[in-house]
């Protein structure tokens, strides 16, 4: 006999109703959890403009009436879009609003908005030079993503992660991230971001001293950039190609690319462009051009570029025989060398510190995940054991009840038989007594 055979029909009906009620409550809870808040149309339109036209998105958000932001989810979405538009305008996050947004959407359960919030929280940590926390946020954004997450958004996460790994000199990890970003862009047919991706991967190969692979990728990126209206992207790729040619001592190729594309460049890339010009003209023996670009570097260059410029200016004035100028430049060169050394030392220490923290947190995360799995396994075992014990106790209780009822029924039946026998015996005895009395008379 099974356990169900121990239940009465009434008990089975009651259990069935209880199970049905639990199922209805569970379905209702799931429906409530999975239902999505409908955001105002104005916010949705602003979101669609953030990628293609962030200026218009920011203007639209500034004009957003308060009546649109009556509900808290709408206010949080609005704050997220403000950060998104600013990010696409290359503006840093002004405060820690993103933490409040992440906390809200974690509790509210909007998966799509939470995924975006994790990404911009990672950007906040990048801005504050906290590589381990930035990587953690980007990974959480990837974990939240699914088949409905736009590939362009996934590409951005992979690319940002790759840049962080590159800054920490983790070249294999950086290359893997850049490749995934490039795959997303290839599926989308986004030639601009594909060119970015090829340039970034070429940068890794340069660090790994694989010049052939670096050159192939840069030429592919240059070919893609020719069909784009993004002149700045084209110039950055050409600049990388020039550096690659100089590393291989292909001066004529470097000069051809430089003279055709980099005579006028944006302020952001003036320092490396002028440094490349100095090296090209120095190899070509054009001292006047070297002098010209060295002076430009002294106005706009980075400390490392200025160090290169001072080296060449010292050589230039030495040939001219201007010893006073040479002494002055030597002093500047010493001061600049000290500055560069301090910067390099600080950067190395920061990289080592970030890498140590990253490895430390990875080990801690691995340990915590293992402990969590262990605890989950033990919890499941204990729950199963308790459930089995409860079922066994319930079964024994019901079985005991049934045995008690059977014994009680037998006792009552025997008592009735005893009483019936007593009555029959008394009747029989009375008959016998009457029969004896009749015989005695006779």
């Amino acid at each position: 006999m099974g356990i169900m055979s121990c239940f009465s029909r009434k008990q089975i009906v009651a259990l069935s109703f209880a199970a049905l009620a639990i199922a209805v409550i569970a379905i209702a809870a799931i429906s409530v959890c999975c239902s999505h808040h409908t955001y105002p149309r104005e916010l949705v339109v602003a979101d669609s403009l953030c990628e293609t036209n962030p200026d218009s998105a920011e203007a639209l958000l500034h004009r957003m009436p308060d009546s649109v932001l009556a509900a808290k989810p709408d206010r949080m979405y609005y704050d997220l879009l403000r950060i998104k538009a600013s990010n696409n305008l290359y503006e840093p996050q002004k405060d820690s609003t993103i933490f409040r947004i992440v906390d809200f959407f974690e509790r509210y359960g909007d998966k799509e908005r939470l995924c975006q919030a994790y990404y911009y929280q990672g950007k906040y940590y990048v801005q504050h030079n906290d590589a381990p926390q930035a990587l953690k946020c980007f990974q959480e954004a990837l974990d939240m993503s699914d088949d409905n997450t736009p590939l362009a958004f996934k590409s951005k996460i992979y690319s940002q992660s790759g840049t962080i790994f590159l800054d920490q000199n983790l070249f294999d990890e950086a290359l893997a991230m850049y490749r995934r970003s490039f795959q997303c862009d290839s599926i989308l047919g986004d030639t601009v971001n594909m060119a970015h991706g090829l340039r970034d991967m070429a940068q890794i190969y340069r660090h790994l001293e694989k010049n052939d692979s670096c050159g192939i990728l840069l030429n592919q990126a240059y070919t893609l950039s020719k069909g784009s209206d993004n002149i700045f992207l084209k110039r950055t790729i050409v600049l990388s190609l020039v550096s690659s040619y100089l590393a291989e001592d292909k001066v004529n190729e470097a000069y051809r690319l430089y003279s055709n594309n980099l005579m006028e460049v944006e302020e952001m890339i003036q320092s490396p462009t002028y440094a490349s010009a100095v090296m090209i003209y120095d190899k070509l023996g054009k001292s006047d051009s070297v002098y010209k670009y060295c002076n430009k570097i002294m106005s706009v260059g980075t400390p490392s570029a200025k160090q290169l410029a001072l080296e060449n200016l010292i050589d230039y004035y030495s040939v001219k025989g201007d010893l006073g100028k040479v002494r002055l430049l030597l002093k500047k060169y010493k001061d600049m060398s000290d500055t560069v050394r301090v910067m390099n030392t600080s950067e190395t220490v920061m990289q080592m510190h970030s890498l140590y923290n990253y490895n430390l947190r990875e080990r801690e995360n691995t340990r915590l995940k293992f402990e969590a799995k262990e605890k989950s396994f033990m919890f499941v075992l204990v729950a199963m054991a308790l459930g089995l014990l409860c079922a066994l106790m319930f079964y024994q209780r019901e079985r005991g009840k049934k045995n008690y009822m059977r014994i009680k029924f037998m006792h009552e039946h025997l008592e009735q038989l005893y009483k019936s026998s007593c009555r029959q015996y008394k009747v029989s005895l009375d008959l016998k007594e009457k029969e004896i009395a009749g015989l005695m008379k006779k």
Side-chain angles (χ1 to χ4, degrees):
M1 292 177 66
I3 294 176
M4 291 302 295
S5 62
C6 299
F7 298 156
S8 66
R9 181 180 177 81
K10 193 174 181 180
Q11 289 170 327
I12 292 172
V13 172
L15 285 172
S16 300
F17 273 111
L20 182 61
I22 292 170
V24 169
I25 293 169
I27 291 170
I30 292 170
S31 299
V32 170
C33 292
C34 295
S35 61
H36 293 287
H37 171 73
T38 302
Y39 292 100
R41 180 179 173 277
E42 292 87 346
L43 292 176
V44 176
V45 171
D47 196 351
S48 66
L49 290 171
C50 280
E51 294 295 336
T52 57
N53 200 341
D55 285 318
S56 299
E58 195 169 63
L60 181 60
L61 290 168
H62 277 300
R63 297 195 305 268
M64 196 74 64
D66 292 337
S67 58
V68 174
L69 309 175
K72 189 166 185 181
D74 299 334
R75 291 199 302 274
M76 292 293 109
Y77 187 22
Y78 171 81
D79 289 339
L80 178 61
L81 291 179
R82 290 285 300 272
I83 293 172
K84 186 175 180 179
S86 297
N87 176 79
N88 292 336
L89 290 169
Y90 305 101
E91 297 173 358
Q93 295 184 40
K94 298 177 178 63
D95 51 38
S96 58
T97 301
I98 190 61
F99 290 89
R100 180 166 49 84
I101 296 170
V102 169
D103 179 66
F104 173 79
F105 283 119
E106 280 180 340
R107 290 181 286 104
Y108 184 65
D110 187 333
K111 187 178 177 182
E112 182 181 350
R113 250 53 62 172
L114 178 58
C115 183
Q116 292 184 37
Y118 279 140
Y119 172 74
Y120 291 109
Q121 189 179 43
K123 294 281 286 184
Y124 177 90
Y125 281 121
V126 169
Q127 184 181 320
H128 290 80
N129 299 314
D130 192 338
Q133 283 295 337
L135 282 172
K136 180 183 175 184
C137 291
F138 291 145
Q139 187 58 54
E140 285 176 331
L142 288 172
D143 292 341
M144 289 291 297
S145 64
D146 53 27
D147 294 338
N148 295 322
T149 304
L151 284 174
F153 183 65
K154 287 184 179 179
S155 173
K156 288 167 66 174
I157 302 174
Y158 286 131
S159 180
Q160 288 290 326
S161 300
T163 301
I164 294 175
F165 281 126
L166 175 59
D167 290 341
Q168 307 308 313
N169 294 328
L170 298 170
F171 301 123
D172 292 337
E173 292 84 348
L175 188 58
M177 290 292 119
Y178 283 144
R179 279 175 176 162
R180 290 178 184 175
S181 175
F182 181 76
Q183 287 170 356
C184 294
D185 295 327
S186 299
I187 294 171
L188 292 170
D190 187 342
T191 54
V192 171
N193 282 328
M194 286 169 67
H196 273 292
L198 289 168
R199 183 197 61 192
D200 292 337
M201 288 188 283
Q203 189 178 3
I204 301 292
Y205 284 120
R206 180 182 298 168
H207 284 288
L208 296 173
E209 297 182 354
K210 295 182 178 180
N211 293 327
D212 291 341
S213 299
C214 175
I216 291 170
L217 291 177
L218 284 174
N219 277 297
Q220 290 176 353
Y222 180 57
T223 301
L224 284 175
S225 69
K226 286 180 179 179
S228 168
D229 295 332
N230 192 328
I231 303 300
F232 179 72
L233 171 63
K234 181 181 176 182
R235 286 172 176 166
T236 60
I237 293 171
V238 169
L239 182 58
S240 296
L241 260 176
V242 168
S243 299
S244 177
Y245 284 143
L246 286 172
E248 297 177 40
D249 207 27
K250 296 178 179 178
V251 183
N252 292 328
E253 288 88 339
Y255 176 71
R256 177 179 54 79
L257 272 178
Y258 173 81
S259 59
N260 290 334
N261 299 278
L262 301 176
M263 298 306 291
E264 292 184 10
V265 295
E266 292 79 357
E267 186 177 347
M268 290 174 63
I269 58 172
Q270 283 180 353
S271 179
T273 302
Y274 295 157
S276 296
V278 167
M279 288 186 280
I280 290 170
Y281 288 121
D282 181 49
K283 289 178 182 290
L284 293 174
K286 297 183 177 183
S287 59
D288 290 340
S289 295
V290 171
Y291 174 78
K292 170 187 171 183
Y293 283 101
C294 283
N295 283 318
K296 286 188 174 184
I297 289 174
M298 295 308 295
S299 299
V300 300
T302 62
S304 297
K306 287 179 179 179
Q307 189 178 21
L308 172 68
L310 287 168
E311 287 177 2
N312 283 275
L313 286 173
I314 289 168
D315 292 339
Y316 177 81
Y317 283 109
S318 296
V319 172
K320 297 286 185 183
D322 191 340
L323 298 180
K325 198 72 171 178
V326 169
R327 282 194 295 272
L328 180 63
L329 291 172
L330 281 171
K331 183 178 183 305
K332 287 184 177 180
Y333 179 80
K334 181 180 178 303
D335 293 340
M336 193 59 62
S337 297
D338 291 340
T339 301
V340 171
R341 186 171 58 254
V342 169
M343 285 176 59
N344 289 339
T345 303
S346 300
E347 186 177 346
T348 302
V349 169
M350 187 179 294
Q351 285 179 349
M352 292 175 63
H353 180 69
S354 295
L355 182 59
Y356 171 76
N357 284 342
Y358 172 73
N359 290 329
L360 192 66
R361 290 182 189 183
E362 283 298 298
R363 287 198 297 270
E364 181 66 13
N365 287 338
T366 303
R367 184 183 67 80
L368 290 173
K369 285 178 182 177
F370 178 76
E371 288 183 357
K373 285 182 180 178
E374 213 173 35
K375 288 178 180 176
S376 298
F377 181 68
M378 291 300 296
F379 176 77
V380 170
L381 283 180
V382 171
M384 288 175 64
L386 287 174
L388 186 60
L389 182 61
C390 290
L392 186 61
M393 290 174 64
F394 184 73
Y395 169 71
Q396 292 292 345
R397 181 168 170 269
E398 293 300 319
R399 188 178 178 185
K401 279 184 180 180
K402 186 177 180 182
N403 289 336
Y404 171 75
M405 295 301 294
R406 187 170 60 249
I407 292 170
K408 183 179 179 182
F409 174 75
M410 290 174 63
H411 181 268
E412 290 174 350
H413 182 63
L414 289 172
E415 189 174 0
Q416 288 175 359
L417 288 174
Y418 172 72
K419 289 179 178 179
S420 177
S421 299
C422 287
R423 285 194 298 271
Q424 290 177 0
Y425 174 73
K426 188 176 180 183
V427 170
S428 176
L429 186 61
D430 289 343
L431 290 172
K432 292 290 183 184
E433 286 178 352
K434 287 180 180 178
E435 187 179 348
I436 291 170
L439 291 172
M440 289 296 289
K441 274 187 181 183
K442 289 179 181 182

